[in-house]
Amino acid sequence: MPLLVDYTVTERQSEGQPAQRQGQHPGSQVEMKPKPDCGEESYRGSGRLEGKAALITGGDSGIGRACAIAFAKEGADVAIVYLADQEDEDAEDTKRHVEKAGRKCLVLKGDLKSQRFCHECVERTVREFGKLDCLISNAAKQYARKDLDEITPESIRDVFESNVYPAFYLIQAAEKVMRAGATINITTSITSYRGQGSLVDYAATKGALTATIRSFAQRFAEKRIRVNGVAPGPIWTPLIPATDMDIEAFGKKQPLGRVGQPIECATCFVFLASSESSYITGQVLHPNGGEVIGG
């Protein structure tokens, strides 16, 4: 089993995060204080994904980066997708860690709102690695809305096209190349289950993704391709300082009393992509620091 540091006793976790703000979406991990733990040093693989090929969106930073590093340490080659110029440094650093683990890393830059680009990501991954065993649809954006008038037709369209549409586009392309035993995993959110007043449009997209997971699981079951999800709670990723929220209080209301680290979500994705979860499909795991929610 992977060996993770005990975050309950580290000085960094007890102190929390200082107030900070990033002015543009998506955020950049290199600017965060403290830096999130994406498993660069803390994660130890055990060969559970040996020889597999994975495609991970939002793989430059945060949860996607942690998945890329953990998958590589478990023996998988990884393609990562990211969006903007300010993420170039994050993406190159992720690639460095994947290659340090002895695996190949394909870096793909572009806008996942484009169906054509999503299909190209799948096609290029298959060209590079010869197959696609694991798809993780993870990239997302969110905006804190203090006034409902801030939610416009344009902003709703932008959030849905960024968070929901790519899952459909990627899965459309993946269906053509995935074989029995492959896995599809989608990042949903705790907000899908208990809502959040300042993130109404974001929560709506995550609710849509939760339904998508369950529906695609039924559709792919006869192909023996499993579809599951992960619904993180408060996790320290670039999405947080890029959103107008109380950084210092972030995560402290959870039963464990702290924010979670990206690697603590990545372990869920490793499990769902491995043979250890062979009888699990249509389900969602909840790394959220102890908040008990329905569904």
Side-chain angles (χ1 to χ4, degrees):
M1 296 292 291
L3 303 176
L4 300 179
V5 296
D6 184 355
Y7 291 113
T8 62
V9 297
T10 61
E11 181 179 354
R12 181 176 69 171
Q13 285 303 305
S14 63
E15 291 181 348
Q17 308 80 228
Q20 56 199 278
R21 183 83 167 90
Q22 295 188 25
Q24 53 186 333
H25 280 263
S28 172
Q29 184 157 313
V30 72
E31 298 178 21
M32 297 176 68
K33 298 177 182 179
K35 294 291 189 296
D37 187 343
C38 293
E40 296 91 341
E41 303 300 330
S42 61
Y43 192 89
R44 302 290 182 269
S46 56
R48 289 189 286 177
L49 303 176
E50 194 69 41
K52 293 187 181 294
L55 171 61
I56 304 169
T57 68
D60 60 298
S61 63
I63 294 170
R65 173 190 173 104
C67 288
I69 292 171
F71 274 48
K73 290 185 176 184
E74 293 291 353
D77 293 323
V78 179
I80 62 170
V81 186
Y82 73 105
L83 173 64
D85 290 342
Q86 73 262 27
E87 298 174 302
D88 287 342
E89 186 175 347
D90 288 343
E92 286 303 313
D93 196 39
T94 300
K95 180 180 179 182
R96 180 174 65 84
H97 282 286
V98 169
E99 292 176 342
K100 183 180 178 181
R103 308 309 304 180
K104 297 178 182 177
C105 186
L106 174 65
V107 177
L108 302 167
K109 182 178 179 180
D111 191 348
L112 290 162
K113 289 193 285 186
S114 163
Q115 183 186 41
R116 176 178 293 181
F117 177 66
C118 287
H119 286 202
E120 286 177 357
C121 288
V122 171
E123 290 164 5
R124 289 185 61 185
T125 300
V126 174
R127 275 204 309 272
E128 179 72 16
F129 303 139
K131 58 181 178 175
L132 177 60
D133 301 299
C134 313
L135 169 63
I136 297 179
S137 182
N138 166 74
K141 64 170 57 174
Q142 68 179 24
Y143 298 96
R145 313 290 192 185
K146 295 180 179 179
D147 191 324
L148 281 181
D149 289 341
E150 297 177 45
I151 302 177
T152 65
E154 292 76 21
S155 70
I156 293 173
R157 185 177 304 111
D158 177 42
V159 175
F160 268 84
E161 288 184 352
S162 298
N163 295 1
V164 179
Y165 289 22
F168 283 84
Y169 299 154
L170 290 162
I171 292 171
Q172 281 177 332
E175 182 180 25
K176 297 177 175 63
V177 298
M178 281 185 152
R179 300 292 179 260
T183 61
I184 297 169
N185 295 301
I186 297 174
T187 304
T188 177
S189 168
I190 194 172
T191 64
S192 168
Y193 293 85
R194 53 106 153 117
Q196 187 159 339
S198 62
L199 300 172
V200 174
D201 47 357
Y202 171 80
T205 66
K206 294 301 185 175
L209 287 174
T210 299
T212 298
I213 291 162
R214 292 166 175 168
S215 299
F216 273 123
Q218 294 178 27
R219 183 178 183 91
F220 279 89
E222 65 179 21
K223 297 176 181 288
R224 299 299 184 263
I225 294 171
R226 297 183 295 106
V227 184
N228 291 292
V230 178
I235 306 297
W236 186 229
T237 76
L239 198 62
I240 306 309
T243 304
D244 187 12
M245 60 173 57
D246 186 349
I247 299 295
E248 292 175 292
F250 185 64
K252 291 187 176 179
K253 291 184 178 180
Q254 300 307 103
L256 288 181
R258 65 172 178 85
V259 72
Q261 293 295 321
I263 191 59
E264 295 179 289
C265 288
T267 53
C268 294
F269 286 97
V270 169
F271 169 69
L272 291 173
S274 75
S275 60
E276 295 170 9
S277 60
S278 58
Y279 199 52
I280 298 176
T281 195
Q283 308 302 314
V284 178
L285 301 184
H286 297 272
N288 63 28
E291 184 171 343
V292 179
I293 53 182

